[in-house]
Amino acid sequence: MNINQSKEKFPQPETLLKRLTFYSIMDVIMNAGAEYDGSVYHCNTDWNAGVSLFTIDDGGGDHFHVLFLQDGCIIKGFGHESDLSPYNYEDDETYPEYRFYENCPHEFYELLDDEALERDLLTFCAWRANDDANWQAQTISAPADWSDGSADFLEYVSDLEEYASWLNMYHETEIHTETLRDLYN
């Protein structure tokens, strides 16, 4: 699955913000006092003058940055095993130049200039301005059946029931979905 198919399944920005905030808080709680910080979700609500940054890092090479600003939201994703990853090309092969940011609003794009966000290390990008009815992404010239990591992103921002299954598996615990729903609400 690639961004052209998966962007239709991305949550509304308000829902995405609420989920990422809650999932980040749960990560802090679940990792409190742990010898190893296994946090996957990271949140900085005051990252850059009115911009909130959420990072999802699976610890295995995939990472996603989600920035919320007054004018909308941008998602920059990197799936290291994706067909679009530059790491999947041999030294003698030419990595195709994908124009992931073409048509992205300038005010969104310039936020990615921070060195920590590794602007050029990506396999998909999507954005949504407040006046957009849907998520936007640049159509790229890659085979339609190539994955770009956006389906993995969807798993990390899934609804509460799916998140509860992931949380219990990841932390080897048993927290009931109803308890999480009460906390979430």
Side-chain angles (χ1 to χ4, degrees), residues 72-120:
C73 177
I74 184 169
I75 302 165
K76 178 213 153 267
F78 178 73
H80 79 286
E81 291 182 2
S82 159
D83 296 307
L84 300 178
S85 171
Y87 298 132
N88 290 330
Y89 288 81
E90 299 296 327
D91 291 338
D92 60 341
E93 292 180 303
T94 303
Y95 177 67
E97 182 181 336
Y98 298 111
R99 300 180 186 274
F100 296 106
Y101 297 121
E102 199 166 289
N103 298 319
C104 177
H106 181 72
E107 63 271 17
F108 294 7
Y109 176 74
E110 68 183 8
L111 288 171
L112 299 174
D113 205 24
D114 188 294
E115 190 176 303
L117 300 182
E118 302 174 291
R119 177 173 55 200
D120 296 327

Side-chain angles (χ1 to χ4, degrees), residues 27-41:
D27 243 10
V28 169
I29 293 169
M30 298 303 293
N31 285 289
E35 203 172 298
Y36 165 75
D37 182 7
S39 295
V40 172
Y41 299 88

Side-chain angles (χ1 to χ4, degrees), residues 6-174:
S6 56
K7 70 181 179 183
E8 305 303 322
K9 299 176 183 173
F10 282 12
Q12 298 291 325
E14 302 80 20
T15 301
L16 181 60
L17 177 61
K18 185 173 181 179
R19 286 179 186 174
L20 287 174
T21 301
F22 181 69
Y23 299 169
S24 297
I25 291 168
M26 287 304 300
D27 243 10
V28 169
I29 293 169
M30 298 303 293
N31 285 289
E35 203 172 298
Y36 165 75
D37 182 7
S39 295
V40 172
Y41 299 88
H42 306 273
C43 164
N44 186 342
T45 57
D46 190 29
W47 175 72
N48 181 357
V51 177
S52 296
L53 167 66
F54 291 83
T55 300
I56 303 167
D57 188 334
D58 73 356
D62 295 345
H63 50 81
F64 312 96
H65 301 292
V66 184
L67 293 100
F68 293 92
L69 56 158
Q70 184 176 351
D71 298 328
C73 177
I74 184 169
I75 302 165
K76 178 213 153 267
F78 178 73
H80 79 286
E81 291 182 2
S82 159
D83 296 307
L84 300 178
S85 171
Y87 298 132
N88 290 330
Y89 288 81
E90 299 296 327
D91 291 338
D92 60 341
E93 292 180 303
T94 303
Y95 177 67
E97 182 181 336
Y98 298 111
R99 300 180 186 274
F100 296 106
Y101 297 121
E102 199 166 289
N103 298 319
C104 177
H106 181 72
E107 63 271 17
F108 294 7
Y109 176 74
E110 68 183 8
L111 288 171
L112 299 174
D113 205 24
D114 188 294
E115 190 176 303
L117 300 182
E118 302 174 291
R119 177 173 55 200
D120 296 327
L121 187 61
L122 76 157
T123 55
F124 76 90
C125 178
W127 58 88
R128 183 149 173 199
N130 290 340
D131 57 351
D132 288 337
N134 299 302
W135 286 96
Q136 307 297 312
Q138 180 61 33
T139 302
I140 56 170
S141 59
D145 62 340
W146 279 22
S147 72
D148 61 8
S150 58
D152 297 326
F153 172 74
L154 280 169
E155 291 178 21
Y156 284 107
V157 298
S158 62
D159 65 24
L160 201 56
E161 286 74 24
E162 290 180 42
Y163 171 75
S165 295
W166 174 86
L167 180 76
N168 286 323
M169 183 270 314
Y170 186 77
H171 289 285
E172 299 176 350
T173 189
E174 178 82 26

